[in-house]
Amino acid sequence: MFACTKLNQSRYDATGTQDHSDHECQSQGVRSCGECLAAGPHCAWCTEETFLEVGQPTWERCDTARQLLRRGCPLDRLEDPKGSTVLLKNKKITFHPKEQRQKRWHKQVTQLQPQSVLMHLRPGEPQSLEVKFKRVEDYPIDLYYLMDLSFSMEDDLPNVKKLGADLMEEMRNTTSDFRMGFGAFVDKTVMPYISTAKGMLANPCKRTKPWPCAPPFTFRHVLSLTANGSRFAELVGGQRISGNLDSPEGGLDALMQAAMCEEQIGWRNVTRLLVFSTDAGFHFAGDGKLGGIVLPNDGKCHLEENVYTRGNAQDYPSPAHVAEALRRKNIQIIFAVTEEVTHLYEGLRSVFPKCAVGTLSNNSHNILQIIVEAYNALTSEVVMENSKLPPGYSVSYTSRCKGGGPRHGEQGKRCSDISVGDEVSFNVSITAPRCVTASQRPSRVIIKPQGYGEEVEVLLSPICECSCQKDVVPHSPSCSHGNGTLECGACRCNQGRVGAFCECDREESGEAVESHLCRRGNASEVCSGHGECVCGRCVCGKSSKKPNNYGQFCECSDFGCDQHRGMQCGGTECPSGPNVILITAVLSGSVVVLGVALLLLWKLLTSIHDRREFARFQRELEQRRWNRRDNPIYKSAITTVVNPKYKEQ
């Protein structure tokens, strides 16, 4: 159980920013301190026994800390625990210059800090953790070379043979602790992937010079991880090309075994690289049906005498299945493939957690360059990930990378262009949901950079109970002479007892309802329909989403009048109700008076308009008078025409 956090009085003053809605925490369902804490991250509980008066409901003890202090709860009786982050293991990041690399062991190297933390999480209140990562100089590397030994890769084998010594020399600039291993694959040894004719099984390429081809196989582990470069060249040089019928190969089968057979391969908990070299595509889950193989791949190691024994018994794995296996084993993969199939392996970037794709030349003479460039690309980016969270929990990341400001969202999980010696940090914020049970064991979440073995173990411990719950007093005298158990200042009543202090018998409480002690006047509803009758008194309901009711019969509400100086109705139980008859009479009279006034105004306006129209009509008559003897529409039937030349004659 966690101790109550000591509070600062100034934090809850009238101008404090920590207080939220006055009724955010209050609900009729809150009956204990634990339920109060689960109601919200800003809810507090008053454990003072005399905080409530007789008849007040238990949930009145739950409110924001500021409101409880205002209402008289002593500061030292306030239960308001806060979350915290406790470092359990915090080994510092190490850095060893090259001249000291021979004086240490790789187990002493630390690139990730911290290593283990415990988070006490108040429901709804985020807790943050800073995770630091630094690329340490001279960090050990294990590299396993997985090669396609189908017939089309024959000219690549001599260059791979020289790879051991060349890569050992090249990697000296990066680390003094470098190991290499080798494995090979072809395909499942059933039709239609290979020919099952007796001669083809023994020599699938039908030749004897310069040597016959090796019998086909699914996957064969040749050399465990070793620092002996000459041993690598010796064993690789002794390999013979095999052959199959179709173009896609059984590379995913080989990848699954190389990842899961840790003991046989010799993987250490260091940087793990797997180079996958081929000039063809790959079979995947479902293709096994062509050969009558329907049993799904189980994702387990099946090596006996360094040979995969379940290749003909179970199907190919899917790319996602292999990607998950590589992720769990912290293996970063380098696809070294020919140009014809580069697009196919580029498409796997969205599936595989950390991978690089390089284009092989026709005879793989550039394999060394591909490996070095891919290694630098993979290690120059850090991408954080976490294991599956418990139901309801949420996590967010904020990254602080080299030469840039904070980044959020998906970009908050990664930092790029990291060189040896660079340190980056990630702020990881975790939020717990509302507690489901009164007691929960800490859940475990792993936070780690993709492709690395180091991880941060985060133990999540939700705060679901109050510290005062350990001091329970059964049959307490404070609970109406032993009629209940005192817990955190509140009484949990024995069967048949009700009330904040168990002061009433349930049957008597029912009689009180029938005797109308909880009805206002002749009202038909108990407690005005906004509460319940307990011990002959109304217990009004409160909620953060609805108007809160109060008063002797719950007849008042928060919307009865406005707030003044942060207090409802300026601090006065409840404003008197409105005079309905007077308001109705005034409204009715106002409507009549307003109607008559509008009617008179309309009559006045129409009269003025009519007078103006009549006067205009009279003016027009005066202007259009004519002689009564003349008919203005009469025209004579005689037409007189005058000759213009008449006078001249």
Side-chain angles (χ1 to χ4, degrees), residues 348-370:
L348 295 179
R349 285 181 179 271
S350 60
V351 180
F352 285 75
K354 290 203 73 174
C355 73
V357 180
T359 303
L360 277 174
S361 61
N362 292 332
N363 59 2
S364 297
H365 72 270
N366 65 335
I367 184 63
L368 177 62
Q369 178 185 359
I370 289 177

Side-chain angles (χ1 to χ4, degrees), residues 239-365:
Q239 299 301 305
R240 287 187 296 162
I241 292 295
S242 184
N244 59 333
L245 293 180
D246 60 345
S247 178
E249 318 292 7
L252 295 188
D253 266 337
L255 277 174
M256 180 64 75
Q257 295 304 300
M260 302 307 296
C261 299
E262 292 184 275
E263 183 177 352
Q264 291 88 335
I265 303 298
W267 292 115
R268 299 176 296 172
N269 189 23
V270 297
T271 298
R272 297 178 174 183
L273 300 177
L274 196 156
V275 180
F276 183 88
S277 177
T278 184
D279 62 350
F282 50 84
H283 285 294
F284 50 87
D287 288 355
K289 294 180 180 179
L290 298 174
I293 303 172
V294 296
L295 188 66
N297 192 288
D298 62 6
K300 298 180 180 179
C301 177
H302 296 287
L303 285 185
E304 293 182 10
E305 297 181 355
N306 293 329
V307 175
Y308 179 38
T309 60
R310 300 283 290 173
N312 296 342
Q314 59 184 17
D315 197 4
Y316 302 96
S318 67
H321 194 182
V322 175
E324 175 60 19
L326 294 175
R327 187 194 66 78
R328 286 190 286 115
K329 299 301 182 181
N330 304 309
I331 298 174
Q332 306 179 59
I333 187 167
I334 301 172
F335 292 112
V337 297
T338 55
E339 186 175 3
E340 293 79 8
V341 293
T342 299
H343 67 284
L344 178 62
Y345 290 90
E346 285 283 356
L348 295 179
R349 285 181 179 271
S350 60
V351 180
F352 285 75
K354 290 203 73 174
C355 73
V357 180
T359 303
L360 277 174
S361 61
N362 292 332
N363 59 2
S364 297
H365 72 270

Side-chain angles (χ1 to χ4, degrees), residues 50-170:
T50 60
F51 180 66
L52 299 182
E53 299 177 358
V54 175
Q56 285 185 288
T58 301
W59 46 259
E60 289 280 3
R61 292 181 177 276
C62 183
D63 209 331
T64 60
R66 188 181 75 170
Q67 289 297 329
L68 291 176
L69 291 173
R70 280 181 172 179
R71 289 161 51 195
C73 182
L75 185 62
D76 60 348
R77 303 294 290 176
L78 206 60
E79 191 82 19
D80 187 21
K82 297 300 179 183
S84 62
T85 300
V86 181
L87 297 177
L88 301 180
K89 185 177 181 182
N90 190 29
K91 186 178 179 181
K92 293 183 178 180
I93 293 175
T94 57
F95 180 78
H96 297 273
K98 291 183 179 180
E99 57 269 18
Q100 297 180 358
R101 61 175 132 186
Q102 299 296 335
K103 301 179 182 179
R104 63 177 180 82
W105 300 295
H106 68 269
K107 293 182 179 180
Q108 297 175 330
V109 178
T110 302
Q111 296 186 122
L112 192 67
Q113 182 186 8
Q115 294 77 43
S116 180
V117 299
L118 171 63
M119 279 189 173
H120 299 303
L121 294 165
R122 176 84 180 265
E125 180 187 47
Q127 283 297 313
S128 296
L129 164 70
E130 184 181 27
V131 178
K132 297 180 181 179
F133 178 85
K134 185 176 183 179
R135 279 192 63 187
V136 177
E137 182 183 17
D138 200 31
Y139 197 74
I141 300 173
D142 283 352
L143 184 146
Y144 191 75
Y145 195 95
L146 188 58
M147 184 177 180
D148 176 7
L149 282 188
S150 60
F151 189 75
S152 58
M153 294 289 288
E154 183 175 26
D155 58 344
D156 300 79
L157 195 56
N159 286 311
V160 177
K161 176 182 177 182
K162 298 189 303 181
L163 178 64
D166 294 343
L167 192 56
M168 286 284 185
E169 182 66 27
E170 180 67 30

Side-chain angles (χ1 to χ4, degrees), residues 213-227:
C213 290
F217 56 91
T218 304
F219 167 69
R220 182 168 61 233
H221 171 54
V222 179
L223 175 65
S224 298
L225 293 165
T226 177

Side-chain angles (χ1 to χ4, degrees), residues 43 113 512 591 629:
C43 300
Q113 182 186 8
V591 170
R629 296 173 298 177

